[in-house]
Amino acid sequence: MPKTASPASGAPGDYVLALDDVGLDDIAMVGGKTASLGELRRLLRGGAVTTPDGFAVTAAAYRDVLTAAGAWPKLASLFAGLDINDVGQVAALGVEARAIVYQATDEPRLKTAIADAWREMGSGPGPALRLAVRSSATAEDLPEASFAGQHDSFLHVTGEAGVIEACRRCFASLFTDRAIVYRVQNGFDHLKVALSVAVMRMVDADDGASGVAFTIDTETAFPEVVFITGAWGLGEGIVQGRVGPDEFYVHKPTWRAGHRAVLARTLGSKETRLIRPRRGSDSGVLRERAVPRRDRQRFCLTDGEVLELAGAAIAIEDHYSARAGRPMPMDLEWARDGADGHLYILQARPETVASRRPEGIYEIRKLDPGAAPILASGKAVGQGVASGLVRVVASQADLAAFVPGEVLVAATTSPDWLPAMRNAAAIVTDQGGRTCHAAIVARELGIPAVVGTGDATRRLGAGQAVTVSCARGEEGAVYAGWLPFTVERLRTADLPPTRTAIMLNLAQPDMAFQAAALPTAGVGLARIEFIISELIGVHPMAAAHPDRIGSARVRRAIQTWASADQSPRACFVRQLAEGVGTIAAAFYPRPVIVRLSDFKTNEYASLAGGTDFEPVEENPMLGFRGAARYTHPLYADGFALECEALARVRDVMGLTNVRLMVPFCRRVEEGRRVLEALAAHGLRQGPGGVEVYVMCEIPNNVIQIDAFAQLFDGFSVGSNDLTQLVLGVDRDSAEIAFDFDERDPGVLEMLRQAVAGAKRNGRPIGICGEAPATYPEVAALLARAGIDSISVNPGSFPRTVEAVARAEAATTAS
């Protein structure tokens, strides 16, 4: 039941409540932040992750002392003619308002109540007790008021006088310049918003770590993950964008099923940590300290700690969702105490940006940069694209000169910059991660941002025309010039139904959460090559045998790459498992068919260490590729790493929706050897095991489809290789590219025979290629033949669905 406190009574007991005695029913008394802390203390009590103890100074105390001081008429007259576009006026009125509140809170009964509560918290001499004193407005952290950081908080507060002073300054911070502007923009009456103060035992993250966690992917609104960021030191380093944090994902459905595994992680730069010195003239002022190299090259959280935080986040989301009667994704702050090593949740509030996006709407942004150079790159925020002239902001004068429609470029951003940020076409920062202030605001405003570029303020010149693109996954880029782009908005409910399953071809894990919003039947082709070449960059054999690498420079580079893991082998397996796992998790429980690696020798050789292991071939397209490699002495140990990663995805991560596919399998006996090797590495077919498909892309696969069907669980037609081998055309040769045509009668006959052969043997068969989307006659042939699935790139999905629906309708009519 909500507590009752009469602001007119004047009793100090009405001014303070223990955090254990408040909950979400008490928002009117203690504000959203403090009410949530009380709720969390009950919810998490006894768990590995908990919350600090403490007390709340109530909103009733704020109202009471301002009434006693006669402050209300003074505040009302201050804001009667306020123009928030007049920065000077806002600043002057803010100073006056804060002085009024600060003076009013110099009230004996209030100070006595705070001092008594402080003494009750201390187990020893008072000065030894260090506290965090945080503001909590009664309209803060509610769904209709989502911005954080409007009011002040104070850390490492000690002593009776110190805690009283911090509480008074928190009350006065109700009238910071940014809070005044924010209230006007969101329709809140200045005099109807009250402030409570949460006084908590300090979690000493200065010598530990801290960060934020969301129970939704902040960029794509994918709801089935917990997204955690963290860095050494105080969390303000992440929020202010000074630190490139570590990032972690945990998949909620498999976590609930009992699988405890980190889905994916990214090592942040973490070059500095923020601390608050506790002695001397610097005491109480944030200071930046360099992080030793050994700490920069390791994650700030262990796997066990990530999973503990994820479990707490899931419990919190479930609890808040049950109370709300609907899904309620959450936004959390966490810290690990450097002294006791425990994890604490410091704040929880509903997430109010990604979760509010309309369902059933899918946007496909297409930008062709052509030869435009990339001037800067970093973490992408959102999926937008925008062009404008650069405004490098390094001082208040630069901010004052900002023109609406410019691209705001800065080392970091500040809450006080909100008016300019609202008018920016895009935001680019040197520092920060996807949960820093610039990212949060850009996400709220729906504008693209590229954060953590490292050097954008040096590389981008004032007045330079640029295009900021966040349309290609997690990597954002700033291109030179004004580049055209298109936006296709798709209402998924408007797509016609098809008998044929329409699936996706997908290679980039960072595109998976966004692509999963499409109403697909799953992923018909997940290519491992992109993960190895773009995300890992190291030859599998070089990871398995770094001692065989001839170049000392390459050996050092690989050791640096693997510094966060026990060995290069362990690093390769982890990164490949996380890349595949991310795609599988995005579509879970829909099937995801993962094709084993199919590099050519020249492509393998371009990977780090690759020249030490690859032969030189005259025609790599028809050479040592696909199934031929997996049991060959030149690559068997590299294939073992692939298998270890895929077994981890299924057995440890619990993503049993993964099926495997063998590419370029020339002969039946070769297929048998590959299946034996898979089984030896823990990927065995049969009940409870993994389904293994084979690419049908060599004429012999079609001619001997009955024999291949005895070995494999299904087929996928690789139309590109099948076409080139039927026609004898090298698809990489510009001189004869005109002869490459999937509509050739010979190719169409091969397609028909492949589908008929699979059906004859009771095996599913699909096709992975753009031909059905590009050529209606190919879609019609496949529909008539009864193919089970068609897999295309996400950008081709809408027109493929429509083409197949028309083909199916025509087939039925005939």
Side-chain angles (χ1 to χ4, degrees):
M1 294 294 291
K3 315 300 177 295
T4 58
S6 170
S9 69
D14 298 328
Y15 291 171
V16 171
L17 292 170
L19 289 181
D20 285 331
D21 293 333
V22 300
L24 290 179
D25 292 326
D26 304 309
I27 290 176
M29 291 189 63
V30 295
K33 184 183 300 180
T34 308
S36 186
L37 281 168
E39 193 80 11
L40 294 178
R41 282 191 62 74
R42 292 197 291 270
L43 176 65
L44 301 176
R45 184 173 287 125
V49 181
T50 184
T51 58
D53 65 335
F55 62 89
V57 186
T58 65
Y62 168 83
R63 295 190 181 97
D64 198 10
V65 298
L66 263 65
T67 298
W72 301 114
K74 299 175 187 176
L75 292 171
S77 65
L78 277 181
F79 296 109
L82 174 65
D83 177 7
I84 62 169
N85 295 312
D86 186 336
V87 176
Q89 184 192 29
V90 171
L93 293 182
V95 170
E96 290 188 55
R98 291 192 293 275
I100 290 170
V101 175
Y102 183 78
Q103 184 60 40
T105 55
D106 187 21
E107 203 277 335
R109 292 171 299 173
L110 174 62
K111 294 193 290 186
T112 297
I114 295 171
D116 289 346
W118 168 77
R119 279 190 288 270
E120 288 182 14
M121 282 188 67
S123 58
L129 177 65
R130 289 183 293 110
L131 301 172
V133 180
R134 311 182 74 180
S135 304
S136 178
T138 58
E140 190 177 49
D141 300 337
L142 298 176
E144 64 270 25
S146 60
F147 285 4
Q150 300 304 315
H151 311 109
D152 292 341
S153 295
F154 303 93
L155 306 180
H156 290 302
V157 177
T158 60
E160 178 180 322
V163 72
I164 292 171
E165 173 68 9
C167 288
R168 292 179 64 195
R169 291 173 65 186
C170 276
F171 281 128
S173 75
L174 188 62
F175 293 99
T176 61
D177 298 358
R178 60 185 180 271
I180 292 169
V181 172
Y182 169 71
R183 283 195 293 272
V184 173
Q185 290 172 335
N186 287 274
F188 290 100
D189 187 327
H190 295 294
L191 306 188
K192 291 184 179 178
V193 176
L195 200 83
S196 168
V197 179
V199 180
M200 302 181 294
R201 195 174 300 274
M202 183 71 201
V203 177
D204 192 0
D206 298 57
D207 297 322
S210 58
V212 297
F214 292 87
T215 61
I216 189 171
D217 182 53
T218 54
E219 305 311 313
T220 64
F222 180 66
E224 300 299 348
V225 288
V226 177
F227 173 50
I228 299 169
T229 67
W232 307 112
L234 298 173
E236 282 87 342
I238 294 176
V239 174
Q240 294 176 10
R242 300 191 193 186
V243 178
D246 297 335
E247 297 182 350
F248 308 88
Y249 283 99
V250 175
H251 187 229
K252 289 190 282 190
T254 47
W255 190 95
R256 294 182 194 279
H259 294 277
R260 298 294 183 264
V262 177
L263 176 64
R265 79 203 77 197
T266 302
L267 187 68
S269 58
K270 306 189 300 298
E271 294 176 349
T272 61
R273 74 164 78 210
L274 279 186
I275 66 169
R276 197 175 295 268
R278 301 165 200 173
R279 296 182 180 86
S281 59
D282 283 346
S283 179
V285 179
L286 281 179
R287 289 290 180 265
E288 209 165 37
R289 297 288 184 265
V291 173
R293 182 178 179 182
R294 65 180 181 278
D295 289 335
R296 296 198 304 269
Q297 293 182 341
R298 67 186 179 99
F299 291 99
C300 68
L301 291 170
T302 66
D303 280 18
E305 289 170 332
V306 171
L307 295 170
E308 286 177 357
L309 280 173
I314 291 169
I316 291 168
E317 180 184 48
D318 288 348
H319 180 76
Y320 278 67
S321 298
R323 282 184 57 94
R326 60 182 175 84
M328 184 70 75
M330 298 298 293
D331 171 358
L332 313 173
E333 293 182 12
W334 64 268
R336 184 183 64 223
D337 193 291
D340 64 24
H342 292 163
L343 292 165
Y344 296 88
I345 300 294
L346 305 180
Q347 183 171 315
R349 59 174 176 255
E351 194 282 334
T352 58
V353 180
S355 56
R356 286 187 168 186
R357 294 179 188 168
E359 295 183 6
I361 302 295
Y362 186 86
E363 289 190 348
I364 300 173
R365 287 178 169 82
K366 295 182 179 179
L367 170 72
D368 183 5
I374 295 178
L375 304 177
S377 62
K379 291 282 189 181
V381 177
Q383 293 95 42
V385 182
S387 298
L389 301 178
V390 167
R391 172 73 65 178
V392 179
V393 177
S395 67
Q396 192 64 37
D398 298 324
L399 199 63
F402 188 87
V403 176
E406 292 182 323
V407 174
L408 192 157
V409 179
T412 62
T413 63
S414 162
D416 295 326
W417 293 15
L418 185 57
M421 297 172 76
R422 280 183 174 276
N423 293 315
I427 298 170
V428 181
T429 67
D430 289 346
Q431 302 169 16
R434 289 190 292 152
T435 52
C436 72
H437 174 262
I440 291 170
V441 172
R443 208 174 285 122
E444 293 261 5
L445 299 177
I447 61 176
V450 179
V451 300
T453 62
D455 57 1
T457 54
R458 294 194 302 274
R459 301 190 65 183
L460 305 179
Q464 182 179 12
V466 298
T467 297
V468 179
S469 174
C470 299
R472 298 180 65 84
E474 291 184 2
E475 185 76 8
V478 181
Y479 295 94
W482 302 78
L483 302 181
F485 65 94
T486 60
V487 179
E488 180 182 350
R489 177 165 282 203
L490 171 68
R491 282 176 48 88
T492 56
D494 293 340
L495 290 173
T498 60
R499 294 189 302 274
T500 308
I502 310 301
M503 306 176 81
L504 295 183
N505 298 334
L506 205 59
Q508 297 172 258
D510 60 357
M511 298 291 288
F513 293 161
Q514 180 186 0
L518 288 169
T520 73
V523 175
L525 174 63
R527 296 184 290 270
I528 278 182
E529 296 92 69
F530 180 90
I531 300 171
I532 295 176
S533 64
E534 299 297 323
L535 302 185
I536 298 176
V538 173
H539 193 286
M541 288 294 289
H545 298 289
D547 54 302
R548 298 185 191 174
I549 299 171
S551 167
R553 179 186 58 81
V554 174
R555 285 199 304 272
R556 287 194 300 270
I558 289 177
Q559 289 298 330
T560 299
W561 160 74
S563 60
D565 294 270
Q566 293 180 342
S567 65
R569 177 191 181 97
C571 186
F572 185 96
V573 170
R574 176 182 64 77
Q575 290 191 2
L576 182 56
E578 291 177 359
V580 172
T582 297
I583 297 174
F587 290 86
Y588 184 86
R590 291 173 284 178
V592 171
I593 301 174
V594 178
R595 188 178 70 186
L596 301 171
S597 65
D598 190 25
F599 284 123
K600 289 77 177 175
T601 50
N602 58 322
E603 295 168 336
Y604 265 119
S606 67
L607 298 171
T611 55
D612 291 282
F613 298 96
E614 291 300 321
V616 177
E617 296 183 300
E618 292 297 327
N619 188 353
M621 182 69 77
L622 295 179
F624 189 42
R625 60 175 288 199
R629 299 182 68 95
Y630 303 149
T631 59
H632 194 285
L634 289 178
Y635 190 72
D637 290 348
F639 183 62
L641 301 193
E642 289 187 42
C643 293
E644 185 177 342
L646 292 166
R648 179 181 297 187
V649 171
R650 287 181 54 86
D651 300 337
V652 179
M653 295 181 175
L655 295 163
T656 53
N657 57 324
V658 164
R659 301 170 185 174
L660 305 185
M661 184 154 64
V662 178
F664 220 76
C665 186
R666 295 175 171 93
R667 299 172 55 248
V668 173
E669 182 56 34
E670 187 174 63
R672 184 174 288 109
R673 289 198 300 270
V674 170
L675 291 174
E676 289 172 354
L678 287 170
H681 290 302
L683 295 165
R684 189 179 299 276
Q685 290 173 292
V690 62
E691 292 185 24
V692 183
Y693 286 39
V694 67
M695 293 289 290
C696 187
E697 55 188 341
I698 300 171
N700 197 38
N701 301 142
V702 180
I703 295 168
Q704 293 204 77
I705 197 163
D706 295 325
F708 279 102
Q710 300 308 305
L711 295 178
F712 294 98
D713 299 295
F715 297 90
S716 181
V717 176
S719 58
N720 287 335
D721 273 347
L722 184 61
T723 300
Q724 81 167 344
L725 293 174
V726 169
L727 300 180
V729 175
D730 181 355
R731 57 189 170 99
D732 288 342
S733 173
E735 287 74 18
I736 57 173
F738 61 89
D739 271 338
F740 184 88
D741 190 343
E742 294 99 328
R743 297 168 295 176
D744 184 271
V747 177
L748 295 179
E749 176 60 18
M750 277 289 184
L751 292 177
R752 188 196 65 76
Q753 288 188 31
V755 175
K759 292 293 183 182
R760 182 170 62 249
N761 287 278
R763 295 288 191 244
I765 185 168
I767 184 171
C768 48
E770 296 297 298
T774 306
Y775 305 119
E777 56 267 47
V778 175
L781 179 145
L782 294 171
R784 285 195 301 272
I787 199 165
D788 295 294
S789 65
I790 294 174
S791 187
V792 295
N793 296 324
S796 302
F797 180 80
R799 71 171 184 266
T800 303
V801 172
E802 293 168 353
V804 170
R806 288 193 299 270
E808 289 177 347
T811 300
T812 301
S814 61

